[in-house]
Amino acid sequence: MKITAARVIVCCPGRNFVTLKIETDEGLTGIGDATLNGRELSVVSYLEEHVIPCLIGRDPQQIEDIWQYLYKGAYWRRGPVTMTAIAAVDTALWDIKAKIAGQPLYQLLGGRSRTGIMSYAHATGRDTAETVDEVLRHKEMGYLAIRAQSGIPGLNKVYGVSGNGRMYEPADGPLPGEHDWSTEKYLRHTPGLFQAVREAVGPDTHLLHDAHHRLTPIEAGRLGKELEPFHLFWLEDPTPAENQEAFKLIRHHTTTPLAVGEIFNTVWDCKDLIEQQLIDYIRTTVTHAGGITHLRVIANLASLYQVRTGCHGATDMSPVCMGAALHFDTWVPNFGIQEHMAHSEEMLSVFPHDWRFEKGMLYCGESPGHGVDIDEKLAAKYPYQRAYLPVNRLQHDGTLWSW
Ligand code: CS2
Ligand code: MG
């Protein structure tokens, strides 16, 4: 079998998605998600100009060799653009290989390790009361795990909160929005938020929170300690993780479980965090960490240190990513949880899929491959619209801060 063509499909059914489609001389096709929120066209160009010409004529079943060729052959290794491009190729090739075998993808990884995939929802509100209501609404929907993010008194716009009842989508255009931030106001507010949420939701629902890279290590240690009475499932991205050492300080101050990794793109970004057991969940995804092939490398390392997976699953990765992730989640022995920031019906309509959600659990389908396709005619009705993730500035002096 040979790869005869590959093309990139960009669409914007409510937000931009980038999809790579690979075709073969025996009529089988495979697709992969190549969406990098706010930098989409950089991956489109990387694929079209530098990757696709190298794929034509290759055997699509040589997944590992193609992965090594694209990783080592680029010379300039790693980084979100390169690894998202490689991920899209890898996911599409796994899709094809599973179709050749006539098997759902998880069977090729090692078979089923669990009956279903525990997922967590996003509950957001402009204030504590609204957030508590949203947590209770998602508990009613059957979620066993719910992330709570709320507006902060005294701050205009805060990460994670849509506030107007619309679906939360952080990317907007035509230039980056500017948010304001005050760590003091956030640290003053957040323990009270979780006291109210835990009192309302009871002891059994898993609660999660995302600090979104905004605290210093000692501030993260303080927050983790103050959240201990509310027994969080995890505190995510407590501090920027370029300096993996920083997590030693947080670990020293709190037993609140830590999760990191949605912006990591190779095992090297998290090797020390995992080996020194500085985290409890690794958040790397199919789309941004080199595909199924490399995500397995990361998960297998994590399994040696009782670190579990918690794949990133925001709406800025397409339903193709969710489909592939659910097959990965069905197999991976050290599974932790899957993020489920549900796509809109409009987004899902462009990507026919066989995965399903029921009472807080996600289930991959049994059709050959990863079970997701793209309706190219419908996709063409949603042309690309440039959009940026916001930037963040300290409220008191405008210093540029992590968003
Ligand atoms: C967030 C993401 O879901 C999460 O944990 O950190 O929604 C993140 O803000 C977006 O993926 C950025 O594009
Ligand atoms: Mg996050």
Side-chain angles (χ1 to χ4, degrees):
M1 183 180 282
K2 293 270 179 269
I3 294 170
T4 50
R7 63 180 182 284
V8 184
I9 302 148
V10 183
C11 63
C12 188
R15 57 144 299 106
N16 291 312
F17 293 121
V18 179
T19 307
L20 173 71
K21 185 165 195 171
I22 293 180
E23 297 172 350
T24 65
D25 58 0
E26 294 186 18
L28 283 178
T29 61
I31 63 173
D33 180 28
T35 307
L36 187 64
N37 200 4
R39 293 296 184 272
E40 290 85 357
L41 296 192
S42 59
V43 184
V44 173
S45 166
Y46 193 102
L47 283 166
E48 287 180 342
E49 296 302 321
H50 307 298
V51 170
I52 289 173
C54 303
L55 295 179
I56 308 306
R58 286 186 181 279
D59 174 357
Q61 296 208 73
Q62 290 184 273
I63 297 176
E64 191 65 56
D65 183 64
I66 291 173
W67 197 98
Q68 297 297 331
Y69 181 96
L70 295 177
Y71 180 77
K72 293 175 178 149
Y75 187 72
W76 313 104
R77 299 180 183 190
R78 302 166 69 186
V81 174
T82 298
M83 299 314 292
T84 299
I86 292 177
V89 174
D90 187 77
T91 305
L93 296 180
W94 275 106
D95 192 20
I96 291 170
K97 190 179 259 299
K99 287 174 179 174
I100 293 170
Q103 293 283 336
L105 174 52
Y106 73 84
Q107 292 291 14
L108 277 68
L109 301 177
R112 177 177 293 283
S113 304
R114 54 194 55 79
T115 54
I117 306 302
M118 180 169 77
S119 69
Y120 73 88
H122 280 209
T124 70
R126 280 163 294 191
D127 55 28
T128 296
E130 206 173 84
T131 308
V132 167
D133 289 346
E134 276 298 285
V135 168
L136 293 175
R137 184 171 71 83
H138 283 90
K139 183 180 177 182
E140 273 307 299
M141 288 167 69
Y143 281 99
L144 306 173
I146 302 166
R147 189 187 86 163
Q149 305 286 142
S150 93
I152 311 291
L155 291 181
N156 305 322
K157 276 187 162 184
V158 174
Y159 158 70
V161 180
S162 58
N164 49 15
R166 266 182 331 128
M167 190 174 163
Y168 173 66
E169 168 49 61
D172 53 20
L175 287 173
E178 299 235 341
H179 290 188
D180 58 358
W181 179 251
S182 158
T183 297
E184 296 74 22
K185 290 176 179 165
Y186 167 78
L187 290 176
R188 222 174 12 248
H189 169 76
T190 302
L193 166 69
F194 279 92
Q195 174 153 22
V197 168
R198 180 53 80 195
E199 269 166 23
V201 80
D204 299 332
T205 300
H206 294 305
L207 295 177
L208 302 89
H209 184 64
D210 193 344
H212 220 256
H213 324 276
R214 299 179 180 199
L215 303 177
T216 63
I218 198 67
E219 291 164 347
R222 169 184 154 190
L223 179 62
K225 193 152 58 176
E226 290 178 356
L227 291 176
E228 283 174 12
F230 315 119
H231 304 122
L232 263 61
F233 185 87
W234 79 35
L235 173 60
E236 178 185 344
D237 283 330
T239 195
E242 291 93 321
N243 172 17
Q244 299 181 50
E245 285 279 314
F247 283 70
K248 282 183 183 163
L249 198 146
I250 306 170
R251 232 13 176 201
H252 179 73
H253 287 281
T254 181
T255 58
T256 293
L258 302 176
V260 73
E262 69 181 41
I263 64 171
F264 290 170
N265 45 77
T266 71
V267 66
W268 304 106
D269 295 328
C270 49
K271 176 178 170 296
D272 298 345
L273 287 168
I274 290 171
E275 289 180 344
Q276 296 172 35
Q277 305 182 67
L278 300 178
I279 57 173
D280 303 281
Y281 297 91
I282 183 64
R283 297 263 293 137
T284 38
T285 62
V286 170
T287 297
H288 298 138
I292 296 275
T293 297
H294 196 63
L295 200 57
R296 277 203 309 187
V297 169
I298 295 170
N300 288 338
L301 173 67
S303 70
L304 302 182
Y305 299 93
Q306 300 191 67
V307 173
R308 287 177 282 177
T309 65
C311 286
H312 185 204
T315 44
D316 47 278
M317 283 147 296
S318 85
V320 179
C321 177
M322 182 55 84
L326 291 178
H327 282 268
F328 181 86
D329 293 340
T330 299
W331 155 74
V332 69
N334 51 321
F335 171 76
I337 199 166
Q338 171 65 49
E339 181 172 3
H340 183 223
M341 184 181 168
H343 291 99
S344 68
E345 284 312 312
E346 186 182 42
M347 294 173 186
L348 293 171
S349 68
V350 176
F351 296 95
H353 57 280
D354 66 354
W355 50 263
R356 61 190 174 83
F357 171 78
E358 203 176 312
K359 296 202 182 92
M361 302 292 280
L362 286 162
Y363 301 89
C364 68
E366 290 297 320
S367 51
H370 56 44
V372 188
D373 203 347
I374 182 166
D375 179 334
E376 292 191 56
K377 263 212 198 109
L378 190 51
K381 291 184 179 161
Y382 299 101
Y384 169 75
Q385 294 175 36
R386 190 175 77 190
Y388 288 90
L389 285 170
V391 297
N392 217 6
R393 289 187 181 277
L394 293 184
Q395 191 175 46
H396 69 280
D397 68 0
T399 301
L400 205 289
W401 204 251
S402 297
W403 169 71

